Amino acid sequence: MKIQYQREPFLEEDYVEVHYREESEGIKTIRDFFTAFQSITGKKENDIYKIHPESIYYLEVVDRKLFAYQEKEVYQLEYSLQHFLDCFENCGFVRIGKSTAVNLYRVNQVKADLNMRLRLLMDNGEILILNRTYKKSFLDALYHIREVCYENH
Amino acid sequence: MKIIDRHNFWSVVCIVFTLLLFGKILLELIVQDVFGNYQTNILLMFGFSLLATFVLSQHYRFQKYPLLVVILGQYILLIGIVMLITWIGGWFGELHEEAYWDMFLSFTIPYVIGVIIYYVAVFHEVKSANCALKEIKEHKSRAEGKREI
């Protein structure tokens, strides 16, 4: 694969273009890699900020508004939860409740809870409840990511 | 009222059966004034089931302890309560000479079977998930290390 780097000081924004003949595994890996760098806009106290999806710990819908929780900051996103998951599923986001999704890469530990539910202990110390309905899809996503890691290793 | 589907079918059967059984005991008591050993045993079994389910459901509080210690600790607590109830029962009526042994077997056998199935399933699931998380994190940190180089 030929790689070119061009320094253009007058560009308004840095960008990457990938040209390919067919979508191979290598291209998919590059797509996943750059998806993580893709920034989205989040609103906080009437100010607009650029945030990276991979910096988000979890997402929650409150009063029909989607909020993204980073380690300490909270931003409102102009996405629906499903649309966000469709766009950034490759960044490790998976639904854990009707109105909640988590970034699997930010989960530190899983613990069993009463009534066979699972509690997710996040890297920042927060605890999320994994709804029983979504337990299977969560575990499937977790094992799928592990498999992908092995394949790329 | 929940819709009955394949996920809650057996739970619904158990609930209906329990309600019918309680209704029968209550009806026999009211209409025929009957409340003997049979009825007492049924109520005792219900009480023990309730107690065992409650104690087992508290497993999440003991995750930092080894599994075997948790299982044994809960069993000792439960069998202690069962023996205490049997002893108290002896105040109200004469106990069979093997009453304690019978209670021990009646409680221990189903408890051991239930415990094995329940704990193995829960802990295996959690352990597998944590192993996967650990491997993903290790892989991620290796990848980030390579990116920095």
Side-chain angles (χ1 to χ4, degrees):
Chain A
M1 193 186 297
K2 198 162 74 178
I3 301 175
Q4 287 182 333
Y5 294 94
Q6 289 180 347
R7 187 165 179 269
E8 298 174 39
F10 302 108
L11 276 181
E12 282 185 10
E13 193 179 1
D14 297 339
Y15 72 92
V16 177
E17 258 183 345
V18 180
H19 301 261
Y20 59 93
R21 286 164 297 179
E22 276 183 29
E23 187 157 326
S24 61
E25 281 301 312
I27 296 297
K28 275 183 187 168
T29 308
I30 290 169
R31 187 195 293 277
D32 292 348
F33 179 77
F34 284 113
T35 304
F37 280 94
Q38 197 177 327
S39 60
I40 53 173
T41 53
K43 200 164 85 174
K44 186 183 166 191
E45 293 167 359
N46 296 325
D47 292 325
I48 305 289
Y49 296 88
K50 268 189 177 180
I51 54 175
H52 292 292
E54 67 170 14
S55 68
I56 298 170
Y57 281 58
Y58 66 97
L59 299 147
E60 190 177 26
V61 179
V62 181
D63 293 335
R64 295 189 174 186
K65 290 171 188 163
L66 182 65
F67 290 92
Y69 294 79
Q70 289 181 321
E71 188 178 0
K72 288 172 184 169
E73 306 294 329
V74 183
Y75 298 94
Q76 188 192 330
L77 304 182
E78 293 300 323
Y79 281 85
S80 70
L81 181 60
Q82 191 53 53
H83 185 211
F84 186 94
L85 291 174
D86 291 342
C87 295
F88 300 106
E89 198 183 8
N90 291 334
C91 294
F93 286 95
V94 60
R95 201 184 270 265
I96 56 165
K98 198 178 171 187
S99 57
T100 331
V102 72
N103 183 351
L104 274 169
Y105 291 109
R106 300 291 183 181
V107 179
N108 185 37
Q109 206 184 352
V110 177
K111 285 187 169 187
D113 193 3
L114 187 71
N115 203 18
M116 296 285 277
R117 285 185 311 185
L118 296 182
R119 284 188 300 161
L120 309 179
L121 187 63
M122 306 301 290
D123 284 338
N124 63 349
E126 284 195 63
I127 294 171
L128 302 176
I129 298 291
L130 170 59
N131 194 314
R132 253 192 310 184
T133 315
Y134 297 95
K135 190 167 81 176
K136 191 178 179 303
S137 58
F138 173 85
L139 293 174
D140 287 348
L142 188 66
Y143 299 135
H144 174 70
I145 287 176
R146 182 174 62 174
E147 275 174 31
V148 172
C149 287
Y150 277 124
E151 282 168 13
N152 293 340
H153 186 51
Chain B
M1 179 96 182
K2 273 187 177 178
I3 292 169
I4 299 168
D5 56 25
R6 65 190 171 90
H7 299 295
N8 63 9
F9 179 81
W10 287 109
S11 308
V12 173
V13 170
C14 292
I15 292 166
V16 171
F17 178 75
T18 307
L19 290 174
L20 285 175
L21 201 62
F22 278 6
K24 179 180 177 290
I25 290 172
L26 197 67
L27 204 66
E28 281 173 350
L29 180 67
I30 295 167
V31 177
Q32 299 173 343
D33 197 24
V34 174
F35 194 83
N37 288 337
Y38 168 75
Q39 287 80 2
T40 313
N41 281 339
I42 295 286
L43 289 182
L44 265 177
M45 278 197 285
F46 175 74
F48 291 147
S49 306
L50 200 68
L51 193 68
T53 309
F54 173 73
V55 174
L56 285 176
S57 72
Q58 300 301 305
H59 67 84
Y60 70 101
R61 295 183 194 276
F62 309 111
Q63 283 196 52
K64 59 182 175 182
Y65 302 108
L67 176 63
L68 198 62
V69 173
V70 176
I71 291 173
L72 280 174
Q74 289 185 329
Y75 173 75
I76 290 165
L77 176 70
L78 282 167
I79 198 74
I81 295 170
V82 168
M83 289 302 164
L84 183 70
I85 291 169
T86 311
W87 181 66
I88 293 168
W91 294 354
F92 301 99
E94 195 181 341
L95 291 177
H96 187 268
E97 58 182 15
E98 290 191 346
Y100 289 102
W101 177 242
D102 287 346
M103 288 305 287
F104 172 77
L105 287 182
S106 300
F107 183 77
T108 303
I109 293 168
Y111 181 88
V112 169
I113 294 168
V115 158
I116 288 169
I117 294 168
Y118 186 82
Y119 276 99
V120 167
V122 171
F123 279 82
H124 179 72
E125 201 167 47
V126 171
K127 196 178 169 189
S128 305
N130 281 324
C131 280
L133 276 174
K134 196 179 166 192
E135 286 169 26
I136 290 166
K137 281 191 181 295
E138 281 171 1
H139 180 270
K140 198 186 172 195
S141 59
R142 273 201 304 270
E144 281 171 354
K146 277 182 190 171
R147 208 185 289 172
E148 279 169 16
I149 289 165

